[in-house]
Short mmCIF file of all heavy atoms in Angstrom, two decimals:
data_model
loop_
_atom_site.label_atom_id
_atom_site.label_comp_id
_atom_site.label_asym_id
_atom_site.label_seq_id
_atom_site.Cartn_x
_atom_site.Cartn_y
_atom_site.Cartn_z
N ASN A 24 10.54 -14.84 4.52
CA ASN A 24 9.79 -13.72 3.97
C ASN A 24 10.67 -12.77 3.18
O ASN A 24 10.30 -12.28 2.14
CB ASN A 24 9.12 -12.94 5.10
CG ASN A 24 7.76 -13.52 5.41
OD1 ASN A 24 7.16 -14.14 4.52
ND2 ASN A 24 7.29 -13.33 6.60
N ARG A 27 10.86 -11.70 -0.87
CA ARG A 27 9.83 -12.37 -1.67
C ARG A 27 9.65 -11.70 -3.02
O ARG A 27 9.62 -12.36 -4.05
CB ARG A 27 8.50 -12.41 -0.92
CG ARG A 27 7.45 -13.26 -1.62
CD ARG A 27 6.08 -13.16 -0.96
NE ARG A 27 6.09 -13.50 0.44
CZ ARG A 27 6.04 -14.74 0.92
NH1 ARG A 27 5.98 -15.76 0.10
NH2 ARG A 27 6.05 -14.96 2.21
N SER A 28 9.54 -10.37 -2.99
CA SER A 28 9.35 -9.65 -4.25
C SER A 28 10.49 -9.92 -5.20
O SER A 28 10.28 -10.13 -6.40
CB SER A 28 9.26 -8.14 -3.99
OG SER A 28 8.16 -7.87 -3.17
N ALA A 109 -8.89 -8.96 -3.03
CA ALA A 109 -8.67 -10.31 -3.53
C ALA A 109 -9.95 -11.12 -3.29
O ALA A 109 -10.54 -11.05 -2.23
CB ALA A 109 -7.50 -10.95 -2.79
N LEU A 111 -11.09 -14.89 -3.20
CA LEU A 111 -10.51 -16.23 -3.17
C LEU A 111 -11.64 -17.26 -3.16
O LEU A 111 -12.45 -17.29 -2.24
CB LEU A 111 -9.63 -16.38 -1.93
CG LEU A 111 -8.65 -15.23 -1.69
CD1 LEU A 111 -7.93 -15.39 -0.36
CD2 LEU A 111 -7.66 -15.13 -2.83
N ARG A 123 -23.83 -16.43 -5.48
CA ARG A 123 -23.18 -15.15 -5.76
C ARG A 123 -23.05 -14.89 -7.26
O ARG A 123 -23.25 -13.76 -7.70
CB ARG A 123 -21.80 -15.17 -5.10
CG ARG A 123 -21.09 -13.84 -5.13
CD ARG A 123 -19.84 -13.91 -4.27
NE ARG A 123 -19.04 -12.71 -4.44
CZ ARG A 123 -17.86 -12.54 -3.86
NH1 ARG A 123 -17.37 -13.48 -3.07
NH2 ARG A 123 -17.17 -11.44 -4.05
N GLN A 145 -2.99 -3.41 -8.05
CA GLN A 145 -3.22 -2.07 -7.55
C GLN A 145 -2.04 -1.49 -6.78
O GLN A 145 -1.31 -2.19 -6.08
CB GLN A 145 -4.48 -1.99 -6.70
CG GLN A 145 -4.47 -2.91 -5.49
CD GLN A 145 -5.77 -2.81 -4.70
OE1 GLN A 145 -6.60 -1.94 -4.95
NE2 GLN A 145 -5.94 -3.69 -3.73
N ILE A 146 -1.88 -0.19 -6.98
CA ILE A 146 -0.96 0.62 -6.17
C ILE A 146 -1.79 1.84 -5.77
O ILE A 146 -1.93 2.78 -6.55
CB ILE A 146 0.28 1.06 -6.97
CG1 ILE A 146 1.03 -0.14 -7.53
CG2 ILE A 146 1.21 1.91 -6.09
CD1 ILE A 146 2.13 0.23 -8.52
N GLY A 147 -2.39 1.81 -4.60
CA GLY A 147 -3.29 2.89 -4.21
C GLY A 147 -4.45 2.99 -5.18
O GLY A 147 -5.16 2.02 -5.41
N ALA A 148 -4.63 4.18 -5.77
CA ALA A 148 -5.75 4.39 -6.67
C ALA A 148 -5.46 3.86 -8.08
O ALA A 148 -6.33 3.88 -8.94
CB ALA A 148 -6.09 5.88 -6.74
N ALA A 166 -0.85 -19.65 3.53
CA ALA A 166 -0.44 -18.26 3.73
C ALA A 166 0.76 -17.89 2.85
O ALA A 166 0.80 -16.81 2.24
CB ALA A 166 -0.10 -18.01 5.20
N ALA A 170 0.75 -15.23 -0.20
CA ALA A 170 1.69 -14.12 -0.22
C ALA A 170 2.44 -14.09 -1.56
O ALA A 170 2.65 -13.02 -2.14
CB ALA A 170 2.68 -14.23 0.93
N ASP A 177 1.60 -7.95 -7.80
CA ASP A 177 2.41 -6.73 -7.80
C ASP A 177 3.31 -6.69 -9.04
O ASP A 177 3.46 -5.66 -9.69
CB ASP A 177 3.31 -6.69 -6.57
CG ASP A 177 2.61 -6.07 -5.37
OD1 ASP A 177 1.47 -5.59 -5.55
OD2 ASP A 177 3.19 -6.07 -4.28
N GLY A 209 9.07 -3.90 -2.93
CA GLY A 209 9.45 -4.09 -1.53
C GLY A 209 9.91 -2.81 -0.88
O GLY A 209 9.63 -2.55 0.27
N ALA A 213 6.53 6.09 1.25
CA ALA A 213 5.46 7.08 1.13
C ALA A 213 5.79 8.17 0.12
O ALA A 213 4.91 8.66 -0.58
CB ALA A 213 5.17 7.68 2.49
N ASP A 216 4.55 7.57 -3.34
CA ASP A 216 3.11 7.77 -3.50
C ASP A 216 2.76 9.25 -3.47
O ASP A 216 1.92 9.72 -4.24
CB ASP A 216 2.36 7.03 -2.38
CG ASP A 216 2.78 5.57 -2.31
OD1 ASP A 216 2.92 4.96 -3.38
OD2 ASP A 216 2.99 5.07 -1.20
N GLN A 217 3.40 9.99 -2.56
CA GLN A 217 3.13 11.43 -2.47
C GLN A 217 3.55 12.14 -3.76
O GLN A 217 2.83 12.98 -4.29
CB GLN A 217 3.88 12.04 -1.28
CG GLN A 217 3.35 11.56 0.05
CD GLN A 217 4.22 11.97 1.23
OE1 GLN A 217 5.29 12.55 1.04
NE2 GLN A 217 3.78 11.66 2.44
N GLY A 220 1.09 11.57 -6.50
CA GLY A 220 -0.07 12.45 -6.34
C GLY A 220 0.25 13.87 -6.77
O GLY A 220 -0.55 14.52 -7.45
N MET A 221 1.43 14.35 -6.41
CA MET A 221 1.83 15.72 -6.79
C MET A 221 1.91 15.87 -8.31
O MET A 221 1.52 16.89 -8.88
CB MET A 221 3.19 16.06 -6.17
CG MET A 221 3.13 16.26 -4.66
SD MET A 221 4.78 16.41 -3.93
CE MET A 221 5.29 18.02 -4.57
N VAL A 224 -1.06 16.81 -10.47
CA VAL A 224 -1.36 18.24 -10.57
C VAL A 224 -0.33 18.94 -11.46
O VAL A 224 -0.68 19.69 -12.37
CB VAL A 224 -1.37 18.89 -9.16
CG1 VAL A 224 -1.64 20.39 -9.26
CG2 VAL A 224 -2.42 18.21 -8.29
N GLN A 225 0.96 18.66 -11.21
CA GLN A 225 2.02 19.33 -11.97
C GLN A 225 1.94 19.06 -13.46
O GLN A 225 2.18 19.93 -14.29
CB GLN A 225 3.40 18.88 -11.46
CG GLN A 225 3.78 19.48 -10.13
CD GLN A 225 5.18 19.07 -9.70
OE1 GLN A 225 5.96 18.52 -10.49
NE2 GLN A 225 5.51 19.31 -8.45
N ARG B 149 4.41 -8.15 3.09
CA ARG B 149 4.64 -9.59 2.98
C ARG B 149 6.10 -9.93 2.72
O ARG B 149 6.49 -11.08 2.72
CB ARG B 149 3.76 -10.20 1.90
CG ARG B 149 4.07 -9.65 0.57
CD ARG B 149 3.35 -10.35 -0.52
NE ARG B 149 3.53 -9.54 -1.69
CZ ARG B 149 2.84 -8.46 -1.94
NH1 ARG B 149 1.87 -8.11 -1.12
NH2 ARG B 149 3.09 -7.73 -2.98
N ASN B 150 6.92 -8.92 2.49
CA ASN B 150 8.36 -9.16 2.43
C ASN B 150 8.96 -9.21 3.82
O ASN B 150 10.15 -9.41 3.98
CB ASN B 150 9.07 -8.06 1.64
CG ASN B 150 8.90 -8.26 0.15
OD1 ASN B 150 9.06 -9.37 -0.34
ND2 ASN B 150 8.55 -7.20 -0.54
N GLU B 152 9.05 -6.62 5.58
CA GLU B 152 9.60 -5.28 5.81
C GLU B 152 8.54 -4.39 6.43
O GLU B 152 7.37 -4.42 6.02
CB GLU B 152 10.03 -4.66 4.48
CG GLU B 152 11.35 -5.18 3.97
CD GLU B 152 11.76 -4.45 2.70
OE1 GLU B 152 11.50 -3.24 2.60
OE2 GLU B 152 12.31 -5.11 1.82
N ARG B 164 6.98 10.43 11.62
CA ARG B 164 6.89 9.58 10.43
C ARG B 164 8.26 9.49 9.76
O ARG B 164 8.71 8.42 9.35
CB ARG B 164 5.86 10.12 9.45
CG ARG B 164 5.47 9.12 8.37
CD ARG B 164 4.50 9.73 7.37
NE ARG B 164 5.14 10.70 6.52
CZ ARG B 164 5.88 10.38 5.46
NH1 ARG B 164 6.06 9.13 5.14
NH2 ARG B 164 6.44 11.31 4.72
N HIS B 266 -17.81 -10.32 1.69
CA HIS B 266 -17.80 -11.00 0.40
C HIS B 266 -16.53 -11.77 0.09
O HIS B 266 -16.22 -11.97 -1.07
CB HIS B 266 -18.06 -10.00 -0.72
CG HIS B 266 -19.47 -9.54 -0.75
ND1 HIS B 266 -20.53 -10.38 -0.92
CD2 HIS B 266 -20.00 -8.31 -0.59
CE1 HIS B 266 -21.66 -9.70 -0.89
NE2 HIS B 266 -21.36 -8.44 -0.68
N ARG B 267 -15.77 -12.18 1.06
CA ARG B 267 -14.55 -12.87 0.68
C ARG B 267 -13.99 -13.68 1.83
O ARG B 267 -14.29 -13.44 2.98
CB ARG B 267 -13.50 -11.88 0.21
CG ARG B 267 -13.12 -10.94 1.32
CD ARG B 267 -12.36 -9.76 0.80
NE ARG B 267 -12.16 -8.83 1.88
CZ ARG B 267 -10.97 -8.50 2.36
NH1 ARG B 267 -9.90 -9.02 1.86
NH2 ARG B 267 -10.88 -7.66 3.34
N SER B 268 -13.18 -14.62 1.45
CA SER B 268 -12.43 -15.34 2.46
C SER B 268 -11.41 -14.36 3.02
O SER B 268 -10.94 -13.48 2.33
CB SER B 268 -11.68 -16.50 1.85
OG SER B 268 -12.46 -17.16 0.92
N VAL B 270 -7.81 -13.78 4.95
CA VAL B 270 -6.53 -14.33 5.36
C VAL B 270 -5.70 -13.14 5.81
O VAL B 270 -5.79 -12.07 5.23
CB VAL B 270 -5.83 -15.05 4.18
CG1 VAL B 270 -4.57 -15.73 4.64
CG2 VAL B 270 -6.77 -16.07 3.55
N ASN B 272 -2.63 -12.30 5.58
CA ASN B 272 -1.82 -11.74 4.51
C ASN B 272 -2.56 -10.72 3.67
O ASN B 272 -2.05 -9.66 3.34
CB ASN B 272 -1.47 -12.88 3.55
CG ASN B 272 -0.02 -13.21 3.63
OD1 ASN B 272 0.79 -12.30 3.77
ND2 ASN B 272 0.30 -14.47 3.56
N GLU B 273 -3.77 -11.10 3.32
CA GLU B 273 -4.53 -10.30 2.40
C GLU B 273 -5.07 -9.07 3.10
O GLU B 273 -5.17 -7.99 2.53
CB GLU B 273 -5.66 -11.16 1.84
CG GLU B 273 -6.06 -10.81 0.44
CD GLU B 273 -7.19 -9.84 0.46
OE1 GLU B 273 -8.19 -10.11 1.16
OE2 GLU B 273 -7.07 -8.80 -0.21
N ASN B 280 -2.41 -1.03 1.12
CA ASN B 280 -2.83 -0.31 -0.08
C ASN B 280 -3.64 0.93 0.27
O ASN B 280 -3.53 1.94 -0.42
CB ASN B 280 -3.64 -1.22 -1.00
CG ASN B 280 -3.72 -0.65 -2.40
OD1 ASN B 280 -2.71 -0.50 -3.07
ND2 ASN B 280 -4.91 -0.27 -2.82
N VAL B 283 -1.18 3.59 0.85
CA VAL B 283 -0.67 4.13 -0.42
C VAL B 283 -1.65 5.13 -1.01
O VAL B 283 -1.27 6.23 -1.45
CB VAL B 283 -0.41 2.97 -1.42
CG1 VAL B 283 -0.07 3.52 -2.81
CG2 VAL B 283 0.72 2.07 -0.93
N LEU B 284 -2.92 4.75 -0.98
CA LEU B 284 -3.99 5.61 -1.50
C LEU B 284 -3.99 6.97 -0.81
O LEU B 284 -4.06 8.02 -1.45
CB LEU B 284 -5.31 4.88 -1.24
CG LEU B 284 -6.60 5.35 -1.86
CD1 LEU B 284 -6.48 5.42 -3.37
CD2 LEU B 284 -7.71 4.37 -1.47
N GLU B 286 -1.52 8.42 0.76
CA GLU B 286 -0.31 9.18 0.43
C GLU B 286 -0.45 9.83 -0.95
O GLU B 286 -0.03 10.97 -1.17
CB GLU B 286 0.93 8.28 0.46
CG GLU B 286 1.28 7.71 1.83
CD GLU B 286 1.55 8.77 2.89
OE1 GLU B 286 1.93 9.90 2.55
OE2 GLU B 286 1.36 8.46 4.08
N GLN B 287 -1.03 9.09 -1.91
CA GLN B 287 -1.24 9.66 -3.24
C GLN B 287 -2.15 10.89 -3.15
O GLN B 287 -1.89 11.93 -3.77
CB GLN B 287 -1.85 8.61 -4.18
CG GLN B 287 -0.89 7.48 -4.55
CD GLN B 287 -1.57 6.35 -5.31
OE1 GLN B 287 -2.80 6.23 -5.31
NE2 GLN B 287 -0.77 5.50 -5.95
N GLY B 290 -0.39 13.87 -1.64
CA GLY B 290 0.48 14.51 -2.62
C GLY B 290 -0.29 15.41 -3.56
O GLY B 290 0.11 16.55 -3.82
N LYS B 291 -1.42 14.92 -4.03
CA LYS B 291 -2.22 15.71 -4.97
C LYS B 291 -2.75 16.98 -4.31
O LYS B 291 -2.66 18.08 -4.86
CB LYS B 291 -3.38 14.87 -5.52
CG LYS B 291 -4.27 15.64 -6.49
CD LYS B 291 -5.33 14.76 -7.14
CE LYS B 291 -6.22 15.62 -8.05
NZ LYS B 291 -7.27 14.84 -8.71
N GLU B 294 0.05 19.56 -3.43
CA GLU B 294 0.52 20.28 -4.61
C GLU B 294 -0.54 21.29 -5.07
O GLU B 294 -0.20 22.42 -5.43
CB GLU B 294 0.83 19.28 -5.74
CG GLU B 294 1.39 19.90 -7.00
CD GLU B 294 2.78 20.51 -6.80
OE1 GLU B 294 3.42 20.17 -5.79
OE2 GLU B 294 3.19 21.31 -7.64
N MET B 300 2.56 18.08 3.58
CA MET B 300 1.87 16.79 3.60
C MET B 300 0.99 16.64 4.85
O MET B 300 -0.09 16.05 4.80
CB MET B 300 2.88 15.64 3.54
CG MET B 300 3.63 15.56 2.23
SD MET B 300 2.53 15.31 0.82
CE MET B 300 3.63 15.78 -0.53
N ILE B 326 -8.59 11.45 -6.02
CA ILE B 326 -7.56 11.17 -7.02
C ILE B 326 -8.18 10.97 -8.39
O ILE B 326 -7.66 11.41 -9.40
CB ILE B 326 -6.74 9.92 -6.62
CG1 ILE B 326 -5.96 10.19 -5.35
CG2 ILE B 326 -5.79 9.52 -7.74
CD1 ILE B 326 -5.38 8.96 -4.73
#
Side-chain angles (χ1 to χ4, degrees):
Chain A
N24 272 335
R27 188 186 304 277
S28 298
L111 312 174
R123 188 172 172 184
Q145 59 181 351
I146 303 171
D177 273 354
D216 307 318
Q217 292 171 355
M221 289 171 69
V224 179
Q225 286 183 12
Chain B
R149 63 172 168 280
N150 281 315
E152 282 184 37
R164 194 183 72 80
H266 288 300
R267 63 194 174 116
S268 319
V270 185
N272 250 322
E273 211 267 309
N280 198 63
V283 172
L284 191 57
E286 296 300 335
Q287 290 172 343
K291 179 174 177 180
E294 183 66 17
M300 293 300 163
I326 295 167

